[in-house]
Amino acid sequence: MFEPERCAREILGQLVRIRTTQPAGDEKDAVIFLREIFEPFTKEIAVLDHGANRASMILTMPGRDRGGAVAVTGHLDTVNVDSEEAWTHAPFSAFCDGERLYGRGAADMKGGVTSIVLTALKLFREGFEPSVDVHFCFTADEEYGGIGAEALCNSGKLDCVAELVVVKPTDGRVGLAGKGALGLSVSARGLSAHASRPGQGVNAVEQVSAFARSISALLRKKGRYPLLGASTCVVTGLHGSISTNVVPDRAEATFDIRTSPGISHAGLLDQIHEMARAQMQKYPPLVLEITPYLDRPALGMDGDAPLVRRFVRIFKTLGLPWETTGITYFTDASVFVPRLGVPFVVIGPGDERFFHQADEYVTLKAVLQSARIFEEYVRTIPGAEDGEG
């Protein structure tokens, strides 16, 4: 007998106990666990081995029309644990108080993965046949490089996918926009001088800071985006001082830039390089060198798109309040959506304000609610004969 609450607790608990922390990942251990769950129901399980005990998996539920497909995707990796002493309960013990299950990755993203698993299990046990193929995807390395999503796109197994549900902790709200991420390494070479005579030097640390402020001002001029607000530039690393009484002539910094949909990263980089040239001309012999280390595009969906309207109907059917949100961090959607060219929504259990922290948790109620949403989504996927309304 399929008991959703018991299954949720057991599957989520085991996923939390399986350590898939970055940078090692070790997602293959979780893939083995998930494959064993579904092997009694289907042979359509594809494991993509990335090496070094890292892997992603695609579980396919065959549809009546095998020429079409949709995908529901969640990731298996988690961030690391900085200090276990900061946790009330051991971060991999999967302690459950009956309502909340605690542990590293409980919200991001083992709770969401559990919701996907519960959905697939229930439908497989029923022998349900969707209108088109449904690919349940479990990816490695979402938190950093996106090797899992890239490998799935390169595999060709998602070529027929027409729409995408990306599972992330949104506290039950539906994400219709996501900020892009542009990471820059900035190196500055100025002119050294004694700190008592700063006017004789070109302070590389101050120049990097001024450069960041210029980028922030440029982004503010580009306005605010609904659900996301303004684009931002944050200095996340800065080193340059060589002595307490010397104007530093070298500085190394990292800039984390978050962009709204409609901002081309290529165009933005052109503007940033032009600003650097202007600053160097103003403060010779200053040299600014800029190297991108991360480039994830921003994404946005029209609130009246057919996929979104279907989710509105799903929420109404289930008696759930409809609320949309924007995703300020990047997700696998920033890999999948540009590569596949498909509409998307982002939704899942857990509150984004509390993941990546000590005592991370997700409620079993939220996991089960997301599973009901995903189940209704699969049941109501239109076929070629149905069209979109």
Side-chain angles (χ1 to χ4, degrees):
M1 181 178 177
F2 182 67
E3 301 176 31
E5 186 169 347
R6 179 181 61 81
C7 285
R9 186 169 55 252
E10 292 178 356
I11 292 169
L12 174 57
Q14 185 58 21
L15 283 170
V16 169
R17 286 187 284 269
I18 298 172
R19 302 189 185 207
T20 55
T21 54
Q22 291 279 11
D26 291 319
E27 298 94 341
K28 191 172 184 179
D29 296 336
V31 163
I32 291 170
F33 169 65
L34 295 175
R35 183 177 61 190
E36 289 175 349
I37 290 176
F38 288 105
E39 280 179 336
F41 300 99
T42 180
K43 296 184 182 299
E44 295 202 35
I45 302 173
V47 174
L48 284 67
D49 197 316
H50 311 308
N53 201 39
R54 311 197 75 170
S56 301
M57 188 178 98
I58 307 176
L59 168 73
T60 300
M61 179 174 291
R64 295 189 299 275
D65 176 7
R66 305 239 43 194
V70 302
V72 180
T73 182
H75 69 90
L76 300 172
D77 60 314
T78 74
V79 297
N80 211 337
V81 175
D82 293 330
S83 172
E84 294 199 16
E85 290 75 19
W87 290 68
T88 305
H89 309 285
F92 301 102
S93 66
F95 173 80
C96 183
D97 64 8
E99 295 182 3
R100 299 176 175 182
L101 191 142
Y102 293 83
R104 172 52 77 227
D108 189 23
M109 244 287 297
K110 305 294 177 71
V113 168
T114 301
S115 296
I116 299 172
V117 171
L118 292 174
T119 300
L121 265 179
K122 183 175 182 182
L123 295 173
F124 270 121
R125 289 171 68 93
E126 287 182 9
F128 178 75
E129 187 180 41
S131 59
V132 297
D133 287 359
V134 179
H135 300 303
F136 298 101
C137 305
F138 305 94
T139 62
D141 193 41
E142 186 262 7
E143 296 285 357
Y144 287 102
I147 60 173
E150 290 282 0
L152 263 66
C153 289
N154 293 336
S155 72
K157 296 182 180 297
L158 303 183
D159 288 354
C160 294
V161 165
E163 59 189 34
L164 182 71
V165 176
V166 179
V167 183
K168 284 292 287 186
T170 64
D171 203 20
R173 295 170 294 174
V174 179
L176 300 183
K179 279 191 172 181
L182 180 61
L184 303 180
S185 294
V186 179
S187 174
R189 297 197 303 274
L191 180 64
S192 181
H194 195 278
S196 65
R197 297 179 177 178
Q200 295 181 353
V202 176
N203 191 317
V205 170
E206 290 183 356
Q207 291 295 328
V208 164
S209 299
F211 189 44
R213 290 194 295 272
S214 296
I215 295 173
S216 293
L218 171 67
L219 293 172
R220 284 195 296 272
K221 292 178 182 178
K222 296 182 181 293
R224 301 174 65 85
Y225 188 89
L227 300 177
L228 293 175
S231 301
T232 57
C233 175
V234 177
V235 179
T236 55
L238 177 59
H239 176 73
S241 179
I242 58 173
S243 179
T244 57
N245 64 346
V246 175
V247 172
D249 65 343
R250 301 269 175 166
E252 303 288 337
T254 52
F255 293 180
D256 184 297
I257 298 172
R258 301 295 165 136
T259 57
S260 297
I263 296 178
S264 160
H265 284 187
L268 178 60
L269 273 172
D270 286 342
Q271 291 179 288
I272 289 172
H273 281 290
E274 181 57 38
M275 291 164 56
R277 285 190 289 270
Q279 189 167 332
M280 287 187 289
Q281 289 175 0
K282 186 175 181 179
Y283 298 99
L286 175 66
V287 175
L288 292 171
E289 296 180 348
I290 304 159
T291 305
Y293 64 85
L294 174 68
D295 188 353
R296 297 285 191 100
L299 305 170
M301 277 289 293
D302 186 334
D304 197 42
L307 174 61
V308 179
R309 293 204 305 269
R310 292 212 327 269
F311 266 86
V312 171
R313 291 196 293 269
I314 289 169
F315 271 59
K316 184 176 181 180
T317 297
L318 297 177
L320 299 173
W322 175 258
E323 186 178 356
T324 57
T325 189
I327 312 299
T328 56
Y329 50 86
F330 67 80
T331 72
D332 275 342
S334 63
V335 176
F336 284 124
V337 173
R339 291 285 301 274
L340 302 176
V342 295
F344 73 96
V345 295
V346 182
I347 183 173
D351 192 327
E352 66 180 43
R353 295 175 297 174
F354 303 122
F355 65 67
H356 292 192
Q357 300 181 28
D359 292 338
E360 178 182 352
Y361 73 87
V362 68
T363 67
L364 295 176
K365 179 180 178 181
V367 171
L368 292 168
Q369 178 176 288
S370 291
R372 289 195 295 272
I373 293 170
F374 302 152
E375 177 189 346
E376 188 68 16
Y377 166 71
V378 173
R379 291 186 185 279
T380 57
I381 297 168
E385 70 280 4
D386 301 318
E388 279 280 16

